[in-house]
Structures are given as structure tokens and as C-alpha cells.
Amino acid sequence: MGEEELNQLVRGCLKDDRLSQKLLYKAFYGFAMGICLRYATNRYEASEIMNQGFYKVFKNLTKYDITKPFKAWLGRIMVNTSIDYYRSNLKIAYTEELEKAEHINDTELADRNLNYNELLDMIGQLPRAYRTIFNLFAIEGYTHEEIGDMLNISTGTSKSNLHKAREKLKIMIAKSNKMPGLNNTGLDNRQQSNSNNIVSITHTDLSPSFVKNVSKQ
Amino acid sequence: MKDEKEDSIDKLFSQGLKDPGSNASYRDEDWDALESMLEGKKPKGVIYRLAYIISGIAALLLLVLGWLFLNPAQKTDKTTPQVVKTKPQAKQDSGKYGTPDEQLADRKTQAPAAGNNSADNAPAKNRPGQSFFTLSADSGGRKNAGQIAKTDVAPKLPTVKLPSDTIIVTDKAVNNMAVNKAKVDTIIITDKAAANMANNKAKADTVITPKKPVLASVVDDIKPKKKTKGVSSSMGFKPTFALSFIASPDINSVKGFSQNKVGTNAGLLLTVGVSKKWSISTGAIYADKPYLTDFSNYSSAYQFNTNPTSVSASCIVLDIPINVGYQLYNNGGNKFSLGTGLSSYFMLRENYTFNYAGSYPGGPTSYNIRNQNKHIMGVLNLNATYQREVSSKFGVAVQPYFKVPLTGIGYGQVNLKSAGVAVGVTWNINTRIKP
């Protein structure tokens, strides 16, 4: 989708035109769902978060600056909605004795190519706090200071949770390397072949540095 | 920090999770859910859920208070149905997004909640309402949009009136729309975008991609839809199965709860989730139900020479319930649901002891029977369940319940009510299916 088409859809959405809203939703569905899936425990939850995010997008579209990339703005809203969801669900502090994973080295991690589903499943198995911090740091590219502010936790907690998240992921990867038969590589290949059907609008990615720039502005 | 950032595990995940592929493919159900939110039903926020929880707790309290404070001598027969009535009433409220007052309150809080979002503020801090979009959004446009929303009920020609200076509509496209008489998604595509769209034909039934930028009609593959209001299910549903073992102390009473005795219950239940919210459960519960009642509440074909003053009973009952449950709340491994249904009582053993005023009994002192009585669908069940997941497969549940007989129970045809709080463990047989 070109810039002008996007702008027209945005204009339609500003007038609460349901058709424009739907087209915009369809166009950015894959992108938004990709973010929400990483923060959610399952697809149900991801859909709920994503819809809350889109609701905010439509209700606050007047705040969107046309000169800035829409995708980055939308991505930020999805991340923030995921954080809101995390906050509303974090009633019990998670404490768990951690199985040490220091014996697992990086070469073991590279044993096998893990596909999207496997990685998503692993990240989904993390406790919500670990998952959120891992996402924000490793994928979104926020610093521990920024994460501390967002989640209202100390920098130290952010660091320690990130460390624990990594340890857990390493263990999961090591386990999956030992049991490669359990992986759904075949299924994933089939799904990948269909992935062209997803409407991709622009090619700009929500890169960490970019997000930071947007947030600073 | 940099070292940490360059951790190989971070790279593995950040690169591997870049492209969700078909995992994030579009689903109509999700749009339907969002559309219903946009049509004035609030997003499922915390406040929204609180309304559910509060109404659930209120229903529970009414239930419990009803049992505890009934005056058996005067009001039992009248108040019992009242207690029963309060529950559906409370349920009705919770099913409709709260009372009007609550809805108003929700709406008030809604706007600031959305505005608080730091994402919204971050990129837009220095642009207070001066964006191009704000200026172009005229009230007339909003009216049009409102009309569109309302016409969703029946199949229609979309009366989309986008500003004429921004969208070029060819006669051909208009004709197409008229002929199709279905919901039509319109999109303007340029040469470049056209190439993109061409790859996505699975999403659109017809895509016109001429050389010059023109309007293409994308006939929506969904329905001329009749909206099922209130459906907020965000995806297709597969039935889920859960097996529970429950046990509970069981308070039994014939009139009110002033004269009660405590028995025990234990049993297995199978719960089938038939939709995201609704479930059906059945099973078998072995219950020991002792009770003590005045003889006036006891009916017997036997003519006593001197009527006993009271009857003590100890009944062993096989309780086969069929209940439906409605989930009011499900979040972060916490589930709260209300349920009702009917139980069949199979009286395996009934032992009655008759107590007389004088020291010399004027009649039989006891009466024992086995497997004589059964009451098919003879007992109304009301319950509320709180379940907490301890892992993806297992959960623990606490279930206050109330059993009201619709028929006389046992040989003595007594109005035997039971209440208690069951605790149990639940095994979710097929949960965590990642779609």
C-alpha cells in the first residue's frame, strides 16, 4: 500500500468510516498480530490484545502525526497495549527456583534451525513477566531503564528477569535439540508456503532504533 | 548492555519471530469482535471485567446470605424461591455489560484510559489536535459513518461517502458495487500497490489493477451479515474437555438452615466447553447426606400411634448432575463462572431414626431401606466456580453450591436442601491448543 492510499484510509477512519477501518485493520492485521502473539500466552489472548490496540488506534487517530510512519505508531500502540495487559494480569509475583542453564553453550543453541512456531511456543511458555521483559529488551530493543519505567520495576529486576528468561529459553532449546522428532517442522513449512497470502502493506520494519526515535519525539 | 543485546539467544528469537507467516493470518471473527467494540460496546478492559466480577460476587453473597438468614419457621417456603430468583437477575446484569449506570461510568473512564496510553502520547506530544486529519474530519462524514454502522443488520449497498476530492470512483466500479449488492471493500491502489495486492488474491475475490491509479473493488468474502449482538468471541472454537475430582463438606437441612447436619460429597465431573463462555458438565457424586428435621416435615404412609418429635436421617445418595456453566471472567489463569442445572438423586441407602418425646417410644425407632427411591432431575443446582490454573493442564477449583429439591426427597418426601463449598482439582484434557 502506498502512502497516499494509507492516508486515504486514515482519513476515512478519522470519519469513523467502518469500511476504511476494516481495510486498515485487514492491512495491518498480520503485523499487529505478530507483535501481540509474542506477548500473549495464546492466540485468543493475542486477538484480545490486538483488538484493544486497534480500538485505541481508531479512537486516538487524531493524535497520529501524518509525517511519521504509521506502522511504527501502530507497533508502539500494540506493544503498549500488551504491556497494559501484562500489568492488569500481574497479580501474583512470580518466583521460581531456576534450573541452571549455564552449562548450555551457544554452539548448542545453533544445532538446529528453530522455526517460528517453535520459538513462539517457547516464548509462550515463559512466565508472563519474563516474556514481557524478554520481548521488550531482545526484540523491541528497549533498554533496562526504559523497561523499568514502562513496567514500574527497578532496572535490577528487569535485568534479572531477562537473565532468567534467557536461561529458561536455553533450557527449552536444549531440550528441543534432544527431541527433534517432537517439532512441527513439516507443519511450519506448509504454513510458510502460504505466508505470501498475508497482506503486507509497507516494507518498513519496526526496528529498535526506529522505535526509540519515535518515542523520543 | 551491548554484550547482553548481542546475546545469541536474543538474536535467535528476534530474527526467528520476525515473520509470523500464516500464524497471523486474518480472521473475520477478530474483526467482528472489534466491530462490536467500535459500535459502542466497550473494549474488554479492567473496569469491564470488574463489572462481571462484582455482579458475580453479588450473586454469591445473595445466595449465601439467603441460606444463612432464612427464618425457617415463617419464611422458608416463600424465601427459598426468592433466593433462587436473585441469581438469574444478577446474571442478567452481568451479561449485558452492567447496569446503565455502570455503562455510563465505563464510558467516562474509557476515554482517559485510551488517552493515557503512552504510545499515543509519545509520538503525538507536540501536536495538539493540529494534524491534517483533525482538520479534514467534518461532522457530515461522521454522520455517514454512523449510517453505515447501522445498516449492518441487513444485506445492503454500502453508502460509503468518502470525500470526493480524495477518492476517484469510476462508473464501472459503482456498477460492480450495485450488481454485487454485497458489502464491498473499496481500496485505491497504485501500480506498486497493485502488484502487492495481486499476490494476495486469497484475501480478495476480485481485484482490479489497472495501470492508472483507480478504485478497485474488493468484494468482501464475508456475509451480508446479520450481526449476532453480544458475540465477542474472537475466534473459532474447539470443544474443550476437563475432568475434575471434587470433594466437599455438605450442609443439609430440611427447613432453613437452622437445623443442619454436615455430610460429605466426593465425585468426578466431566466438563465440556461448548463455546468460549458456555460449558456443560456431568458426572457422578457420591454423597452422604445426614439431616435432622421435625416430624411435621416428614411424610410417611405408616401411621404412628404417637408421632415422633423429630427424624434423624442418614442417606447415601448417588448424585448425577447435568449443569450448564457460563464463564463470567477468564484472565491470567483465573476463571470465574456461574452454573445451574438439574441433578438426579439415586437413594442408595436411607436410614431413618425416629425420636420421641417420652422415654417410651410409641412407634418404630428406625426404618432402613436400600435402592428404593430415585428422583430423576429432581434437584435444582446453583453454583459459582472459581478456578485457578496451576499449570497448563491442571487447575484447582472452589465451588460454592446450593441444591434445591424440586420434589420431595427420599422415603420421607422431605424438602432436603444442601449447600456447601466444594474444592477440587481439574485436569484440562485438551487445553493450550495453539491455533
Side-chain angles (χ1 to χ4, degrees), chain B residues 186-202:
Chain B
T186 57
I187 186 167
I188 294 185
I189 50 175
T190 60
D191 288 347
K192 280 181 189 174
N196 272 343
M197 289 295 286
N199 288 332
N200 297 320
K201 280 185 180 172

Side-chain angles (χ1 to χ4, degrees), chain B residues 249-257 259-265 287-292 345 401 403 416-419:
Chain B
D250 192 35
I251 305 166
N252 302 294
S253 182
V254 175
K255 275 219 163 187
F257 275 80
Q259 268 188 337
N260 58 53
K261 281 197 167 184
V262 180
T264 48
N265 272 345
D288 168 25
K289 291 184 181 291
Y291 65 82
L292 173 71
Y345 275 6
Y401 64 86
K403 289 172 180 285
L416 178 63
K417 296 184 282 291
S418 305

Side-chain angles (χ1 to χ4, degrees), chain A residues 66-198:
Chain A
I66 191 173
T67 59
K68 303 279 175 357
F70 179 77
K71 202 172 182 180
W73 186 71
L74 181 81
R76 280 272 300 175
I77 289 184
M78 291 301 156
V79 170
N80 279 289
T81 309
S82 302
I83 292 169
D84 289 346
Y85 195 86
Y86 155 84
R87 282 203 199 105
S88 66
N89 283 285
L90 199 73
K91 284 152 198 149
I92 301 161
Y94 188 85
T95 51
E96 185 183 283
E97 281 303 313
L98 201 64
E99 200 181 331
K100 291 291 172 196
E102 273 145 16
H103 59 281
I104 299 165
N105 58 35
D106 286 356
T107 50
E108 269 188 68
L109 298 180
D111 262 4
R112 199 167 54 82
N113 282 334
L114 291 157
N115 63 40
Y116 178 87
N117 280 331
E118 289 168 315
L119 293 172
L120 188 68
D121 192 48
M122 285 175 189
I123 216 170
Q125 286 177 41
L126 289 176
R128 200 179 286 275
Y130 295 178
R131 180 167 66 240
T132 306
I133 290 166
F134 183 79
N135 263 312
L136 290 171
F137 186 91
I139 299 173
E140 253 70 59
Y142 289 102
T143 65
H144 285 299
E145 288 74 19
E146 287 169 321
I147 294 169
D149 288 344
M150 283 174 177
L151 304 182
N152 206 17
I153 55 174
S154 71
T155 309
T157 307
S158 175
K159 281 179 185 171
S160 97
N161 279 3
L162 176 71
H163 173 72
K164 287 171 187 168
R166 283 176 179 155
E167 294 285 295
K168 276 185 166 287
L169 290 171
K170 279 181 192 171
I171 291 164
M172 288 182 216
I173 293 168
K175 278 182 186 164
S176 84
N177 284 339
K178 283 173 193 163
M179 301 178 287
L182 293 177
N183 299 310
N184 51 351
T185 317
L187 176 72
D188 186 67
N189 287 341
R190 196 171 65 243
Q191 289 174 337
Q192 290 293 339
S193 66
N194 291 332
S195 64
N196 286 340
N197 291 336
I198 299 193

Side-chain angles (χ1 to χ4, degrees), chain B residues 152-321:
Chain B
D152 275 352
V153 181
K156 80 280 173 177
L157 240 181
T159 54
V160 183
K161 290 178 185 173
L162 296 171
S164 57
D165 57 332
T166 56
I167 289 188
I168 308 150
V169 182
T170 64
D171 289 340
K172 206 174 179 180
V174 172
N175 287 338
N176 273 344
M177 289 157 82
V179 170
N180 286 331
K181 284 190 178 177
K183 206 170 183 184
V184 178
D185 289 354
T186 57
I187 186 167
I188 294 185
I189 50 175
T190 60
D191 288 347
K192 280 181 189 174
N196 272 343
M197 289 295 286
N199 288 332
N200 297 320
K201 280 185 180 172
K203 296 283 162 199
D205 291 344
T206 57
V207 180
I208 304 167
T209 56
K211 286 175 187 175
K212 289 179 184 177
V214 295
L215 183 78
S217 301
V218 184
V219 179
D220 204 338
D221 44 352
I222 13 163
K223 71 254 162 192
K225 73 178 140 186
K226 287 179 181 174
K227 285 209 68 86
T228 48
K229 294 224 168 185
V231 173
S232 60
S233 162
S234 56
M235 63 169 302
F237 186 83
K238 288 179 183 174
T240 57
F241 296 91
L243 202 60
S244 310
F245 172 77
I246 59 160
S248 71
D250 192 35
I251 305 166
N252 302 294
S253 182
V254 175
K255 275 219 163 187
F257 275 80
S258 58
Q259 268 188 337
N260 58 53
K261 281 197 167 184
V262 180
T264 48
N265 272 345
L268 280 176
L269 289 175
L270 175 72
T271 304
V272 183
V274 291
S275 78
K276 206 176 165 185
K277 297 273 185 193
W278 292 94
S279 64
I280 298 172
S281 61
T282 187
I285 297 165
Y286 185 83
D288 168 25
K289 291 184 181 291
Y291 65 82
L292 173 71
T293 182
D294 293 341
F295 185 72
S296 57
N297 301 320
Y298 184 89
S299 52
S300 169
Y302 182 82
Q303 292 296 317
F304 289 82
N305 290 333
T306 311
N307 278 346
T309 50
S310 63
V311 181
S312 303
S314 173
C315 299
I316 303 296
V317 180
L318 182 66
D319 175 355
I320 310 283

Side-chain angles (χ1 to χ4, degrees), chain B residues 30-49:
Chain B
D30 290 344
W31 167 252
D32 291 344
L34 178 64
E35 198 176 24
S36 63
M37 278 160 70
L38 291 167
E39 279 171 4
K41 295 167 192 171
K42 270 197 45 57
K44 291 180 178 177
V46 178
I47 295 163
Y48 188 60
R49 291 196 186 97

